[in-house]
Amino acid sequence: MKTKKIFAAALCAVMSLAAAAGCSPNAGENGTGEQIEIRIGKWPKQDTDPETYAIYQEYVKKFAEIRPDVTIIPDEMDFDVNTFTPLAAGGQLPNMYRVPFTEPKNVIDAGYARDVDEIMRERGYAEKMNDDLLAIVTGSDGKYYGVPNNGYMMGMWYNVNLFEQAGLVNEDGTIDYPTTWDEVVTTAKTITEKTGQPGFGFQCKDAEAGWNLMNIAWCYGVKFMEQEEDGSYKATFASQEMVDTLQYLSDLKWKYNVIPSNVLLSRGDLMRLFATDQLAMSICAEDWLNSPVEQYGMDKSRIGTSAMPSGPAGCYAQTGGDVWMFSKETTDEQVDALFDWLDMIGDGPELSDDAKANIENEIKSQSEDGKVIIEPAFSVWKDEGRNKEISELYAPYVNTDERVQEPMMNDNVQLHAEEPEDTQELYRTISECMQEVLTNENVDIMALLTEKQANFQRDFLDK
């Protein structure tokens, strides 16, 4: 790969949602004498995300100073399981596009991505990135095919108003949060008895409910599937560990009565109840914190957070996120320019002054827009120096009550990626199990799981 160059020639860039065109009397020094075009996917939309769109306009101007031989072509393409394959098969993908953590293996195996192994190693990405995340973008040939871009992790959030009403806030303003799932029950019982409001709640509607339950199930030791020697997968969740997980949910409803009476809650329902002091605790993702504030005007200081509680098998928190991948048609010159872009905007291993300024501008913009600002618990980087620099950029803008905001990541938490095969269908299957347990007190849980596992194996894993 050619190394990064800085060019003195000027570029005029005009950007729209569909295209950005650059012009210069000297086309740059990329070895061809021609302007290089790079099409970048997941571009922010002006109508739905004007703040980020404006930031990206500034990025384009700055990039023109670094690489005047490159024209940025914005592309709003976002990953959709129903449209991705036709676009890929027709050679219509952007040069750089984003896919969820669950998809790189499928994309690589289908031949829709080119490897970026050499430049990943050359520029320090491979050395400084989280090894578990690098494994997600590694092909069977041992080469890297993508760049983990951002991610989230799951934890718990708490309605501080209800904790205060239940007498569970300490004199110094801190909260002794539950650290085990058994303690969640004890805390929920106290809150329900003292306030009359549900002490705990969780989603139980649509596939996302199963996605949430994974966090509890892994803490109980559930293994959802195993890979066979021939590469196929065998479903294994009809187990005593999964029975115990569902019995835990059943007890919250039928034994302790500490969850909302309407058990079929969507994420939106959960948000509304939490923001309006009708729910004290639930599982949440880092990026959920803005919704109660934006949609219902909840006071930021009334949102507490902590790491996921532990179960009999330990403490597990689901992680997910996005990966940058590169279309098969992308040339070496385009890859080089795309990595210059990643470096400039602050997604590279080294944070230049420009990169830090770009990151801080994004944080500042979010703060001015009224967003909840906390130091991120999850990072795609294992480099402690880089992560410290990011924390220092966030620190002046943190706008929550840090007395009630414990990090979602601590030394006990083990990050757990989503299950490797037929993930959405698995979530849907587990959601159906949850619904049955919470609407039928006398259901035979093992019989239910045995039937669901057989159906999942036949209808998805075996196909």
Side-chain angles (χ1 to χ4, degrees):
M1 290 290 172
K2 59 189 283 296
T3 56
K4 178 177 177 180
K5 296 181 180 179
I6 299 178
F7 301 91
L11 171 74
C12 22
V14 179
M15 196 181 126
S16 68
L17 278 175
C23 57
S24 170
N26 300 313
E29 299 175 13
N30 54 64
T32 66
E34 297 179 357
Q35 198 75 4
I36 298 172
E37 291 186 350
I38 53 173
R39 184 180 294 273
I40 300 175
K42 195 67 184 289
W43 201 268
K45 299 180 180 180
Q46 186 175 21
D47 55 344
T48 58
D49 192 3
E51 294 86 4
T52 307
Y53 177 84
I55 288 171
Y56 271 63
Q57 283 183 304
E58 292 303 313
Y59 285 168
V60 171
K61 293 177 183 177
K62 288 185 179 181
F63 195 67
E65 300 172 5
I66 297 171
R67 291 294 303 262
D69 61 326
V70 177
T71 300
I72 303 292
I73 303 179
D75 192 315
E76 294 176 4
M77 177 258 177
D78 196 4
F79 181 83
D80 184 305
V81 69
N82 297 314
T83 60
F84 178 82
T85 298
L87 287 173
Q92 299 300 308
L93 293 175
N95 296 114
M96 188 167 73
Y97 55 91
R98 280 210 291 218
V99 302
F101 280 0
T102 53
E103 300 303 321
K105 179 180 180 296
N106 297 330
V107 174
I108 296 167
D109 290 348
Y112 296 141
R114 64 155 286 167
D115 80 79
V116 287
D117 191 79
E118 184 178 346
I119 198 168
M120 287 273 285
R121 299 180 189 278
E122 192 177 86
R123 297 206 184 187
Y125 283 71
E127 177 186 353
K128 295 189 175 183
M129 277 194 147
N130 181 293
D131 295 329
D132 291 334
L133 298 184
L134 284 174
I136 293 174
V137 298
T138 302
S140 58
D141 56 3
K143 294 182 178 181
Y144 299 127
Y145 283 79
V147 180
N149 173 243
N150 60 39
Y152 68 86
M153 63 178 295
M154 306 293 284
M156 295 280 286
W157 64 359
Y158 308 93
N159 181 302
V160 178
N161 289 336
L162 292 178
F163 271 74
E164 283 183 344
Q165 292 173 32
L168 296 176
V169 176
N170 301 317
E171 289 186 8
D172 63 359
T174 61
I175 295 175
D176 294 324
Y177 295 130
T179 59
T180 69
W181 287 108
D182 287 342
E183 289 179 4
V184 169
V185 174
T186 303
T187 304
K189 288 169 64 178
T190 299
I191 292 171
T192 299
E193 290 168 2
K194 296 288 182 67
T195 71
Q197 299 296 341
F200 184 66
F202 42 86
Q203 292 174 248
C204 194
K205 190 176 182 181
D206 306 320
E208 198 169 280
W211 171 71
N212 266 256
L213 187 70
M214 294 290 169
N215 296 276
I216 302 178
W218 290 323
C219 292
Y220 270 81
V222 178
K223 308 295 183 186
F224 284 92
M225 61 182 72
E226 295 177 352
Q227 189 168 23
E228 305 282 66
E229 289 186 6
D230 63 359
S232 64
Y233 284 88
K234 177 183 178 183
T236 57
F237 58 82
S239 62
Q240 185 58 50
E241 290 82 3
M242 191 63 185
V243 170
D244 294 343
T245 302
L246 291 177
Q247 186 61 56
Y248 179 84
L249 298 192
S250 177
D251 288 346
L252 289 171
K253 165 67 176 176
W254 303 107
K255 184 176 181 180
Y256 304 117
N257 192 28
V258 294
I259 64 175
S261 56
N262 173 20
V263 297
L264 301 180
L265 297 177
S266 66
R267 187 200 295 194
D269 296 329
L270 205 67
M271 298 281 187
R272 174 179 53 79
L273 294 175
F274 181 81
T276 56
D277 297 343
Q278 298 177 77
L279 180 66
M281 299 185 287
S282 78
I283 294 171
C284 80
E286 278 184 287
D287 57 358
W288 288 14
L289 301 184
N290 280 307
S291 295
V293 177
E294 292 179 342
Q295 296 179 25
Y296 300 99
M298 187 176 186
D299 186 337
K300 298 181 184 72
S301 68
R302 301 286 87 187
I303 302 175
T305 60
S306 80
M308 198 70 71
S310 298
C315 181
Y316 291 88
Q318 183 166 140
T319 180
D322 291 323
V323 168
W324 283 117
M325 301 192 79
F326 304 82
S327 68
K328 194 75 173 178
E329 296 78 17
T330 302
T331 66
D332 288 355
E333 289 77 18
Q334 287 173 315
V335 167
D336 189 69
L338 288 163
F339 272 76
D340 281 344
W341 169 266
L342 292 176
D343 287 343
M344 187 206 71
I345 67 174
D347 284 349
E350 303 295 337
L351 295 178
S352 66
D353 289 342
D354 279 344
K356 290 178 185 178
N358 290 336
I359 294 171
E360 185 170 7
N361 284 339
E362 286 203 43
I363 300 169
K364 183 179 179 182
S365 175
Q366 292 170 359
S367 176
E368 292 173 347
D369 197 37
K371 299 284 197 301
V372 174
I373 306 297
I374 62 172
E375 291 185 22
F378 177 89
S379 174
V380 300
W381 304 94
K382 66 182 179 184
D383 183 72
E384 292 183 6
R386 188 190 188 285
N387 290 334
K388 182 181 179 182
E389 288 183 286
I390 294 294
S391 294
E392 290 171 350
L393 292 173
Y394 269 88
Y397 299 95
V398 170
N399 55 15
T400 59
D401 185 347
E402 295 183 81
R403 295 175 301 173
V404 299
Q405 288 259 338
E406 292 187 6
M408 292 185 184
M409 187 69 192
N410 61 36
D411 292 340
N412 294 323
V413 177
Q414 299 178 66
L415 295 179
H416 200 303
E418 295 181 86
E419 296 295 332
E421 198 73 16
D422 294 300
T423 313
Q424 296 301 319
E425 289 77 12
L426 176 62
Y427 292 155
R428 221 167 267 115
T429 298
I430 299 305
S431 178
E432 292 169 0
C433 294
M434 295 171 66
Q435 292 168 7
E436 186 65 27
V437 164
L438 292 172
T439 56
N440 181 357
E441 183 177 5
N442 300 312
V443 64
D444 184 329
I445 296 178
M446 181 56 87
L448 171 67
L449 288 170
T450 301
E451 178 186 356
K452 293 294 186 181
Q453 177 176 285
N455 292 344
F456 178 70
Q457 184 73 45
R458 181 195 66 218
D459 295 341
F460 302 108
L461 294 183
D462 286 346
K463 289 189 175 180

